[in-house]
Amino acid sequence: MKSSKFKYQRVSGTTAEHCCVPQCQASRKYNSVLSFFTFPADEELRRKWIVNIRRDKFTVTPHTRVCSRHFRTEDIREPASETGRRLLKKGVVPVLFEWNNFSLPPTRPGVWERRERPPSPEDDREDTPDNITPDNVTFGVLMQHDYASKPEAAVVDLVLEENTSLREENRLLRQQIEGLTLRQRFGIHRFAASDKDIRFFTRFASYDLLMRFWGLIANSLPSMVSVRQAQRGALTESNATTHSLQPIDEFFLFLNYLALGSKQRDLADRYGIHQSTVSRIITTWSNFLFTVLGSVRIWIPEEEIQRKLPADFKDYPDTTVILDCTELRCQCPSSPLLQSEVFSSYKSHCTLKGLIGIAPHGAVTFVSALYAGSISDKQITRESGVLNLLKPGMAVMVDRGFLIDDIVPCKVYRPAFLSGRPQMSASEVRETQAIARLRVHVERSIRRVKEHKFFDSVIPLRVFGSINQLYTVACLLTNYENGPLVKAWAKKPEI
């Protein structure tokens, strides 16, 4: 019996066609007993197929297939010969899926079949009176049915009261269901009452701080451009497209991606959306925040730096910026030439390198683009553009290996070198210790950036197209996510 079921199936295939239905892993390469059908040419029928298989914004190609597991047996026309092909009957659509256990619910019986009716006493009468006329026949038949009689006013009032009560009960039940769904759905509102959870999922110190930042960017949302539309060459505003998540939950998803380094497949499962939608959201929001935050001037004027200068910098009052480089480990390219470009002799690994500058009071005031890991600190300082912001009256504070004295137009504070001497003088030791205590705060700022776990692991090559946006956004977000870098530097509010 089993062989007769499969005798019309193809026993081998030359292509690796696979089923496009979500959660279905059927492939012609590994399954010779299934048939794979192309989408119908009729637009209306094709739309029904796409709706049934639950593929939103799905592009059908000549190679897109749906396997025979998703069609009822009576929907498939078997071939007349063993060498023939199985075909679908006209107008059928796929209806059997994993989410309905590959079965359809039984058809619901009609109203007449569901309702039990008592036998009519007139059914037992065998004889028919002879004095029945057409008029009294009609009247007699009508009087046998409840709907032919006029209902009493009290009955109507009772039914209306019952309908009103049922409507109110349905409304309250619907509100309870919506409230329960809102609490259970994975999104920002689920964790609004826990600052600890907000810190874990977003790196923002509190829900209030996150909402304040949302208020800063919310007015720019209408200008957000969907990446999906941009790739098609039709740049449209994001509010003109259909979203499966609210904008604030898309923003929360993007922060999860940065803060936790979550895989896109994991985020798709958490939020109940397709993995391609997760990818679109991440790319769209990285570009959007890169544009919005990048339009804010973060380089602080000299007089403002002097006004907020911490007391610890009293011996270095002209310090404008503390510079340091950071390296992010990345996947090793297959090309030997590219490997030599991104290989860092300091980290002994393939890296991307960026320059970060902070003001003396701890705010990030400069972020460079990322460069190949083989670049030197001096070269990245020259190419990053920070030299255009420095003036002769300023001073920069750097690490011992930052040899940029001959390229900057201002003073450089750097720990002293031995320079062939057996030991340093007492004043040089004190100065080295003082600069090291102050310069270490730029490393603390870099550590805040790397608390976004996305940068704490090896960056895959596939995200290199948007890595500059992700890195810059993470650096700029540290100015909004946290409190002061050093609590003692926090200015008390003026009364």
mmCIF file of all heavy atoms in Angstrom, residues 58-98:
data_model
loop_
_atom_site.group_PDB
_atom_site.id
_atom_site.type_symbol
_atom_site.label_atom_id
_atom_site.label_comp_id
_atom_site.label_asym_id
_atom_site.label_seq_id
_atom_site.Cartn_x
_atom_site.Cartn_y
_atom_site.Cartn_z
ATOM 1 N N PHE A 58 6.835 39.121 0.168
ATOM 2 C CA PHE A 58 7.586 38.002 -0.387
ATOM 3 C C PHE A 58 7.681 38.142 -1.903
ATOM 4 O O PHE A 58 6.680 38.414 -2.574
ATOM 5 C CB PHE A 58 6.879 36.693 -0.009
ATOM 6 C CG PHE A 58 7.583 35.454 -0.501
ATOM 7 C CD1 PHE A 58 8.896 35.213 -0.186
ATOM 8 C CD2 PHE A 58 6.907 34.541 -1.290
ATOM 9 C CE1 PHE A 58 9.543 34.075 -0.629
ATOM 10 C CE2 PHE A 58 7.533 33.395 -1.736
ATOM 11 C CZ PHE A 58 8.853 33.170 -1.402
ATOM 12 N N THR A 59 8.876 37.999 -2.439
ATOM 13 C CA THR A 59 9.092 38.100 -3.878
ATOM 14 C C THR A 59 9.141 36.695 -4.473
ATOM 15 O O THR A 59 9.972 35.875 -4.079
ATOM 16 C CB THR A 59 10.405 38.844 -4.181
ATOM 17 O OG1 THR A 59 10.331 40.144 -3.597
ATOM 18 C CG2 THR A 59 10.599 38.963 -5.687
ATOM 19 N N VAL A 60 8.243 36.431 -5.426
ATOM 20 C CA VAL A 60 8.165 35.123 -6.070
ATOM 21 C C VAL A 60 9.010 35.135 -7.337
ATOM 22 O O VAL A 60 8.904 36.045 -8.165
ATOM 23 C CB VAL A 60 6.698 34.777 -6.408
ATOM 24 C CG1 VAL A 60 6.619 33.432 -7.113
ATOM 25 C CG2 VAL A 60 5.866 34.742 -5.140
ATOM 26 N N THR A 61 9.874 34.135 -7.480
ATOM 27 C CA THR A 61 10.706 33.989 -8.667
ATOM 28 C C THR A 61 10.301 32.708 -9.392
ATOM 29 O O THR A 61 9.561 31.882 -8.852
ATOM 30 C CB THR A 61 12.191 33.923 -8.282
ATOM 31 O OG1 THR A 61 12.443 32.686 -7.594
ATOM 32 C CG2 THR A 61 12.555 35.087 -7.365
ATOM 33 N N PRO A 62 10.759 32.522 -10.635
ATOM 34 C CA PRO A 62 10.445 31.271 -11.351
ATOM 35 C C PRO A 62 10.946 30.026 -10.634
ATOM 36 O O PRO A 62 10.505 28.919 -10.937
ATOM 37 C CB PRO A 62 11.153 31.461 -12.704
ATOM 38 C CG PRO A 62 11.247 32.942 -12.877
ATOM 39 C CD PRO A 62 11.447 33.499 -11.505
ATOM 40 N N HIS A 63 11.879 30.171 -9.680
ATOM 41 C CA HIS A 63 12.422 29.013 -8.981
ATOM 42 C C HIS A 63 11.784 28.797 -7.605
ATOM 43 O O HIS A 63 12.199 27.913 -6.874
ATOM 44 C CB HIS A 63 13.937 29.182 -8.812
ATOM 45 C CG HIS A 63 14.668 29.365 -10.108
ATOM 46 N ND1 HIS A 63 14.869 28.347 -11.014
ATOM 47 C CD2 HIS A 63 15.215 30.482 -10.667
ATOM 48 C CE1 HIS A 63 15.522 28.810 -12.062
ATOM 49 N NE2 HIS A 63 15.745 30.112 -11.873
ATOM 50 N N THR A 64 10.818 29.632 -7.232
ATOM 51 C CA THR A 64 10.162 29.487 -5.931
ATOM 52 C C THR A 64 9.191 28.314 -5.976
ATOM 53 O O THR A 64 8.382 28.210 -6.897
ATOM 54 C CB THR A 64 9.421 30.782 -5.565
ATOM 55 O OG1 THR A 64 10.326 31.884 -5.675
ATOM 56 C CG2 THR A 64 8.911 30.703 -4.129
ATOM 57 N N ARG A 65 9.244 27.446 -4.974
ATOM 58 C CA ARG A 65 8.438 26.233 -4.972
ATOM 59 C C ARG A 65 7.704 26.060 -3.635
ATOM 60 O O ARG A 65 8.138 26.547 -2.586
ATOM 61 C CB ARG A 65 9.321 24.992 -5.175
ATOM 62 C CG ARG A 65 10.088 24.967 -6.501
ATOM 63 C CD ARG A 65 9.150 24.718 -7.686
ATOM 64 N NE ARG A 65 9.868 24.456 -8.906
ATOM 65 C CZ ARG A 65 10.293 25.391 -9.745
ATOM 66 N NH1 ARG A 65 10.075 26.666 -9.449
ATOM 67 N NH2 ARG A 65 10.944 25.065 -10.862
ATOM 68 N N VAL A 66 6.579 25.333 -3.697
ATOM 69 C CA VAL A 66 5.843 24.879 -2.518
ATOM 70 C C VAL A 66 5.680 23.370 -2.669
ATOM 71 O O VAL A 66 5.210 22.884 -3.710
ATOM 72 C CB VAL A 66 4.468 25.559 -2.405
ATOM 73 C CG1 VAL A 66 3.675 24.987 -1.228
ATOM 74 C CG2 VAL A 66 4.618 27.065 -2.239
ATOM 75 N N CYS A 67 6.075 22.606 -1.644
ATOM 76 C CA CYS A 67 6.048 21.155 -1.771
ATOM 77 C C CYS A 67 4.637 20.607 -1.574
ATOM 78 O O CYS A 67 3.738 21.280 -1.056
ATOM 79 C CB CYS A 67 7.024 20.514 -0.787
ATOM 80 S SG CYS A 67 6.480 20.572 0.931
ATOM 81 N N SER A 68 4.454 19.351 -1.985
ATOM 82 C CA SER A 68 3.125 18.727 -1.988
ATOM 83 C C SER A 68 2.600 18.441 -0.594
ATOM 84 O O SER A 68 1.425 18.101 -0.439
ATOM 85 C CB SER A 68 3.179 17.426 -2.802
ATOM 86 O OG SER A 68 4.182 16.562 -2.306
ATOM 87 N N ARG A 69 3.435 18.575 0.455
ATOM 88 C CA ARG A 69 2.961 18.336 1.810
ATOM 89 C C ARG A 69 1.888 19.338 2.220
ATOM 90 O O ARG A 69 1.106 19.056 3.132
ATOM 91 C CB ARG A 69 4.132 18.441 2.803
ATOM 92 C CG ARG A 69 5.242 17.444 2.593
ATOM 93 C CD ARG A 69 6.377 17.739 3.558
ATOM 94 N NE ARG A 69 5.971 17.572 4.948
ATOM 95 C CZ ARG A 69 6.632 18.085 5.982
ATOM 96 N NH1 ARG A 69 7.703 18.809 5.773
ATOM 97 N NH2 ARG A 69 6.212 17.879 7.202
ATOM 98 N N HIS A 70 1.859 20.500 1.549
ATOM 99 C CA HIS A 70 0.962 21.570 1.980
ATOM 100 C C HIS A 70 -0.361 21.591 1.209
ATOM 101 O O HIS A 70 -1.132 22.552 1.332
ATOM 102 C CB HIS A 70 1.675 22.914 1.844
ATOM 103 C CG HIS A 70 2.999 22.935 2.538
ATOM 104 N ND1 HIS A 70 3.130 22.870 3.906
ATOM 105 C CD2 HIS A 70 4.273 22.958 2.042
ATOM 106 C CE1 HIS A 70 4.400 22.884 4.230
ATOM 107 N NE2 HIS A 70 5.127 22.925 3.115
ATOM 108 N N PHE A 71 -0.615 20.568 0.389
ATOM 109 C CA PHE A 71 -1.860 20.483 -0.375
ATOM 110 C C PHE A 71 -2.622 19.220 0.036
ATOM 111 O O PHE A 71 -2.015 18.191 0.378
ATOM 112 C CB PHE A 71 -1.579 20.440 -1.887
ATOM 113 C CG PHE A 71 -0.933 21.689 -2.408
ATOM 114 C CD1 PHE A 71 0.452 21.811 -2.447
ATOM 115 C CD2 PHE A 71 -1.707 22.751 -2.850
ATOM 116 C CE1 PHE A 71 1.050 22.955 -2.937
ATOM 117 C CE2 PHE A 71 -1.119 23.906 -3.344
ATOM 118 C CZ PHE A 71 0.261 24.008 -3.384
ATOM 119 N N ARG A 72 -3.920 19.301 0.014
ATOM 120 C CA ARG A 72 -4.733 18.122 0.300
ATOM 121 C C ARG A 72 -4.603 17.114 -0.843
ATOM 122 O O ARG A 72 -4.320 17.486 -1.982
ATOM 123 C CB ARG A 72 -6.195 18.529 0.484
ATOM 124 C CG ARG A 72 -6.433 19.430 1.706
ATOM 125 C CD ARG A 72 -7.860 19.903 1.779
ATOM 126 N NE ARG A 72 -8.186 20.729 0.620
ATOM 127 C CZ ARG A 72 -9.365 21.348 0.431
ATOM 128 N NH1 ARG A 72 -10.310 21.211 1.335
ATOM 129 N NH2 ARG A 72 -9.577 22.080 -0.628
ATOM 130 N N THR A 73 -4.860 15.858 -0.536
ATOM 131 C CA THR A 73 -4.726 14.800 -1.540
ATOM 132 C C THR A 73 -5.660 15.034 -2.717
ATOM 133 O O THR A 73 -5.277 14.836 -3.880
ATOM 134 C CB THR A 73 -5.021 13.431 -0.897
ATOM 135 O OG1 THR A 73 -4.165 13.253 0.237
ATOM 136 C CG2 THR A 73 -4.779 12.305 -1.889
ATOM 137 N N GLU A 74 -6.862 15.499 -2.427
ATOM 138 C CA GLU A 74 -7.836 15.712 -3.515
ATOM 139 C C GLU A 74 -7.496 16.928 -4.376
ATOM 140 O O GLU A 74 -8.093 17.131 -5.434
ATOM 141 C CB GLU A 74 -9.246 15.864 -2.946
ATOM 142 C CG GLU A 74 -9.397 16.985 -1.917
ATOM 143 C CD GLU A 74 -9.191 16.498 -0.502
ATOM 144 O OE1 GLU A 74 -8.474 15.484 -0.325
ATOM 145 O OE2 GLU A 74 -9.741 17.118 0.421
ATOM 146 N N ASP A 75 -6.528 17.767 -3.914
ATOM 147 C CA ASP A 75 -6.130 18.931 -4.707
ATOM 148 C C ASP A 75 -5.087 18.581 -5.765
ATOM 149 O O ASP A 75 -4.790 19.404 -6.636
ATOM 150 C CB ASP A 75 -5.562 20.019 -3.791
ATOM 151 C CG ASP A 75 -6.627 20.618 -2.884
ATOM 152 O OD1 ASP A 75 -7.814 20.472 -3.229
ATOM 153 O OD2 ASP A 75 -6.272 21.222 -1.854
ATOM 154 N N ILE A 76 -4.509 17.385 -5.692
ATOM 155 C CA ILE A 76 -3.428 16.999 -6.603
ATOM 156 C C ILE A 76 -3.957 15.989 -7.622
ATOM 157 O O ILE A 76 -4.617 15.008 -7.259
ATOM 158 C CB ILE A 76 -2.253 16.401 -5.819
ATOM 159 C CG1 ILE A 76 -1.724 17.423 -4.801
ATOM 160 C CG2 ILE A 76 -1.133 15.957 -6.754
ATOM 161 C CD1 ILE A 76 -0.626 16.883 -3.901
ATOM 162 N N ARG A 77 -3.669 16.232 -8.882
ATOM 163 C CA ARG A 77 -4.083 15.336 -9.953
ATOM 164 C C ARG A 77 -2.920 14.416 -10.295
ATOM 165 O O ARG A 77 -1.855 14.866 -10.730
ATOM 166 C CB ARG A 77 -4.509 16.149 -11.182
ATOM 167 C CG ARG A 77 -5.162 15.301 -12.269
ATOM 168 C CD ARG A 77 -5.881 16.134 -13.328
ATOM 169 N NE ARG A 77 -4.953 17.021 -14.027
ATOM 170 C CZ ARG A 77 -5.060 18.345 -14.014
ATOM 171 N NH1 ARG A 77 -6.017 18.927 -13.324
ATOM 172 N NH2 ARG A 77 -4.203 19.088 -14.689
ATOM 173 N N GLU A 78 -3.136 13.109 -10.063
ATOM 174 C CA GLU A 78 -2.086 12.136 -10.321
ATOM 175 C C GLU A 78 -1.903 11.936 -11.828
ATOM 176 O O GLU A 78 -2.851 12.081 -12.611
ATOM 177 C CB GLU A 78 -2.436 10.798 -9.667
ATOM 178 C CG GLU A 78 -2.574 10.851 -8.152
ATOM 179 C CD GLU A 78 -1.244 11.143 -7.475
ATOM 180 O OE1 GLU A 78 -0.212 10.967 -8.136
ATOM 181 O OE2 GLU A 78 -1.248 11.561 -6.302
ATOM 182 N N PRO A 79 -0.685 11.589 -12.276
ATOM 183 C CA PRO A 79 -0.437 11.418 -13.711
ATOM 184 C C PRO A 79 -1.073 10.139 -14.253
ATOM 185 O O PRO A 79 -1.351 9.188 -13.511
ATOM 186 C CB PRO A 79 1.089 11.362 -13.781
ATOM 187 C CG PRO A 79 1.506 10.838 -12.447
ATOM 188 C CD PRO A 79 0.528 11.394 -11.460
ATOM 189 N N ALA A 80 -1.303 10.139 -15.526
ATOM 190 C CA ALA A 80 -1.901 8.959 -16.159
ATOM 191 C C ALA A 80 -0.894 7.823 -16.307
ATOM 192 O O ALA A 80 -1.272 6.656 -16.411
ATOM 193 C CB ALA A 80 -2.470 9.343 -17.534
ATOM 194 N N SER A 81 0.393 8.139 -16.312
ATOM 195 C CA SER A 81 1.425 7.114 -16.451
ATOM 196 C C SER A 81 2.482 7.332 -15.380
ATOM 197 O O SER A 81 2.564 8.394 -14.756
ATOM 198 C CB SER A 81 2.067 7.162 -17.852
ATOM 199 O OG SER A 81 2.715 8.408 -18.049
ATOM 200 N N GLU A 82 3.309 6.329 -15.200
ATOM 201 C CA GLU A 82 4.318 6.422 -14.156
ATOM 202 C C GLU A 82 5.389 7.451 -14.482
ATOM 203 O O GLU A 82 6.070 7.943 -13.592
ATOM 204 C CB GLU A 82 4.967 5.056 -13.936
ATOM 205 C CG GLU A 82 4.017 4.020 -13.360
ATOM 206 C CD GLU A 82 4.758 2.739 -12.981
ATOM 207 O OE1 GLU A 82 5.995 2.730 -13.135
ATOM 208 O OE2 GLU A 82 4.104 1.793 -12.537
ATOM 209 N N THR A 83 5.570 7.789 -15.737
ATOM 210 C CA THR A 83 6.590 8.773 -16.128
ATOM 211 C C THR A 83 6.032 10.186 -16.156
ATOM 212 O O THR A 83 6.775 11.132 -16.418
ATOM 213 C CB THR A 83 7.161 8.418 -17.510
ATOM 214 O OG1 THR A 83 6.082 8.374 -18.463
ATOM 215 C CG2 THR A 83 7.868 7.072 -17.462
ATOM 216 N N GLY A 84 4.735 10.326 -15.928
ATOM 217 C CA GLY A 84 4.134 11.651 -15.966
ATOM 218 C C GLY A 84 4.394 12.445 -14.693
ATOM 219 O O GLY A 84 4.977 11.949 -13.727
ATOM 220 N N ARG A 85 3.918 13.692 -14.681
ATOM 221 C CA ARG A 85 4.125 14.582 -13.547
ATOM 222 C C ARG A 85 2.819 14.793 -12.807
ATOM 223 O O ARG A 85 1.749 14.835 -13.408
ATOM 224 C CB ARG A 85 4.657 15.934 -14.008
ATOM 225 C CG ARG A 85 6.019 15.880 -14.651
ATOM 226 C CD ARG A 85 6.457 17.280 -15.063
ATOM 227 N NE ARG A 85 6.467 18.175 -13.908
ATOM 228 C CZ ARG A 85 6.689 19.486 -14.008
ATOM 229 N NH1 ARG A 85 6.865 20.030 -15.206
ATOM 230 N NH2 ARG A 85 6.693 20.239 -12.936
ATOM 231 N N ARG A 86 2.935 14.977 -11.502
ATOM 232 C CA ARG A 86 1.758 15.313 -10.708
ATOM 233 C C ARG A 86 1.458 16.798 -10.881
ATOM 234 O O ARG A 86 2.367 17.633 -10.850
ATOM 235 C CB ARG A 86 2.010 15.004 -9.226
ATOM 236 C CG ARG A 86 2.438 13.582 -8.974
ATOM 237 C CD ARG A 86 2.850 13.416 -7.530
ATOM 238 N NE ARG A 86 1.717 13.324 -6.634
ATOM 239 C CZ ARG A 86 1.772 13.549 -5.327
ATOM 240 N NH1 ARG A 86 2.912 13.932 -4.786
ATOM 241 N NH2 ARG A 86 0.708 13.409 -4.561
ATOM 242 N N LEU A 87 0.198 17.127 -11.052
ATOM 243 C CA LEU A 87 -0.212 18.506 -11.280
ATOM 244 C C LEU A 87 -1.263 18.905 -10.256
ATOM 245 O O LEU A 87 -1.951 18.060 -9.685
ATOM 246 C CB LEU A 87 -0.761 18.678 -12.692
ATOM 247 C CG LEU A 87 0.187 18.332 -13.850
ATOM 248 C CD1 LEU A 87 -0.544 18.422 -15.178
ATOM 249 C CD2 LEU A 87 1.394 19.260 -13.839
ATOM 250 N N LEU A 88 -1.385 20.202 -10.054
ATOM 251 C CA LEU A 88 -2.412 20.722 -9.158
ATOM 252 C C LEU A 88 -3.686 21.002 -9.937
ATOM 253 O O LEU A 88 -3.646 21.409 -11.104
ATOM 254 C CB LEU A 88 -1.931 22.021 -8.491
ATOM 255 C CG LEU A 88 -0.785 21.906 -7.490
ATOM 256 C CD1 LEU A 88 -0.374 23.291 -7.011
ATOM 257 C CD2 LEU A 88 -1.185 21.032 -6.316
ATOM 258 N N LYS A 89 -4.786 20.786 -9.278
ATOM 259 C CA LYS A 89 -6.063 21.132 -9.896
ATOM 260 C C LYS A 89 -6.216 22.651 -9.937
ATOM 261 O O LYS A 89 -5.610 23.373 -9.164
ATOM 262 C CB LYS A 89 -7.212 20.496 -9.121
ATOM 263 C CG LYS A 89 -7.210 18.970 -9.171
ATOM 264 C CD LYS A 89 -8.379 18.387 -8.389
ATOM 265 C CE LYS A 89 -8.350 16.849 -8.430
ATOM 266 N NZ LYS A 89 -9.462 16.251 -7.664
ATOM 267 N N LYS A 90 -7.047 23.124 -10.816
ATOM 268 C CA LYS A 90 -7.195 24.560 -11.049
ATOM 269 C C LYS A 90 -7.795 25.235 -9.811
ATOM 270 O O LYS A 90 -8.787 24.782 -9.256
ATOM 271 C CB LYS A 90 -8.089 24.802 -12.265
ATOM 272 C CG LYS A 90 -8.207 26.267 -12.661
ATOM 273 C CD LYS A 90 -9.032 26.434 -13.910
ATOM 274 C CE LYS A 90 -9.119 27.905 -14.311
ATOM 275 N NZ LYS A 90 -9.943 28.096 -15.522
ATOM 276 N N GLY A 91 -7.140 26.343 -9.392
ATOM 277 C CA GLY A 91 -7.677 27.173 -8.329
ATOM 278 C C GLY A 91 -7.367 26.727 -6.921
ATOM 279 O O GLY A 91 -7.823 27.360 -5.954
ATOM 280 N N VAL A 92 -6.578 25.664 -6.695
ATOM 281 C CA VAL A 92 -6.314 25.195 -5.339
ATOM 282 C C VAL A 92 -5.223 26.051 -4.710
ATOM 283 O O VAL A 92 -4.388 26.654 -5.392
ATOM 284 C CB VAL A 92 -5.901 23.707 -5.330
ATOM 285 C CG1 VAL A 92 -6.987 22.856 -5.935
ATOM 286 C CG2 VAL A 92 -4.576 23.515 -6.062
ATOM 287 N N VAL A 93 -5.203 26.088 -3.377
ATOM 288 C CA VAL A 93 -4.206 26.833 -2.618
ATOM 289 C C VAL A 93 -3.645 25.926 -1.528
ATOM 290 O O VAL A 93 -4.322 25.002 -1.083
ATOM 291 C CB VAL A 93 -4.814 28.106 -1.978
ATOM 292 C CG1 VAL A 93 -5.257 29.098 -3.034
ATOM 293 C CG2 VAL A 93 -5.989 27.753 -1.079
ATOM 294 N N PRO A 94 -2.409 26.163 -1.078
ATOM 295 C CA PRO A 94 -1.846 25.369 0.031
ATOM 296 C C PRO A 94 -2.561 25.683 1.345
ATOM 297 O O PRO A 94 -2.761 26.852 1.681
ATOM 298 C CB PRO A 94 -0.375 25.809 0.067
ATOM 299 C CG PRO A 94 -0.352 27.157 -0.570
ATOM 300 C CD PRO A 94 -1.431 27.147 -1.604
ATOM 301 N N VAL A 95 -2.939 24.641 2.070
ATOM 302 C CA VAL A 95 -3.691 24.828 3.313
ATOM 303 C C VAL A 95 -3.135 24.014 4.476
ATOM 304 O O VAL A 95 -3.563 24.208 5.614
ATOM 305 C CB VAL A 95 -5.186 24.470 3.114
ATOM 306 C CG1 VAL A 95 -5.862 25.456 2.174
ATOM 307 C CG2 VAL A 95 -5.339 23.043 2.578
ATOM 308 N N LEU A 96 -2.204 23.105 4.227
ATOM 309 C CA LEU A 96 -1.682 22.238 5.292
ATOM 310 C C LEU A 96 -0.283 22.694 5.681
ATOM 311 O O LEU A 96 0.624 22.731 4.845
ATOM 312 C CB LEU A 96 -1.644 20.773 4.823
ATOM 313 C CG LEU A 96 -2.962 20.189 4.302
ATOM 314 C CD1 LEU A 96 -2.758 18.775 3.835
ATOM 315 C CD2 LEU A 96 -4.035 20.248 5.386
ATOM 316 N N PHE A 97 -0.109 23.072 6.962
ATOM 317 C CA PHE A 97 1.164 23.615 7.421
ATOM 318 C C PHE A 97 1.493 23.060 8.804
ATOM 319 O O PHE A 97 0.652 22.446 9.462
ATOM 320 C CB PHE A 97 1.117 25.150 7.488
ATOM 321 C CG PHE A 97 0.694 25.793 6.190
ATOM 322 C CD1 PHE A 97 -0.607 26.241 6.022
ATOM 323 C CD2 PHE A 97 1.592 25.917 5.143
ATOM 324 C CE1 PHE A 97 -0.998 26.823 4.836
ATOM 325 C CE2 PHE A 97 1.210 26.492 3.950
ATOM 326 C CZ PHE A 97 -0.091 26.952 3.793
ATOM 327 N N GLU A 98 2.726 23.330 9.231
ATOM 328 C CA GLU A 98 3.157 22.852 10.542
ATOM 329 C C GLU A 98 2.365 23.520 11.662
ATOM 330 O O GLU A 98 2.091 22.927 12.685
ATOM 331 C CB GLU A 98 4.657 23.123 10.724
ATOM 332 C CG GLU A 98 5.212 22.551 12.011
ATOM 333 C CD GLU A 98 6.721 22.614 12.069
ATOM 334 O OE1 GLU A 98 7.349 22.670 11.000
ATOM 335 O OE2 GLU A 98 7.252 22.600 13.186
#
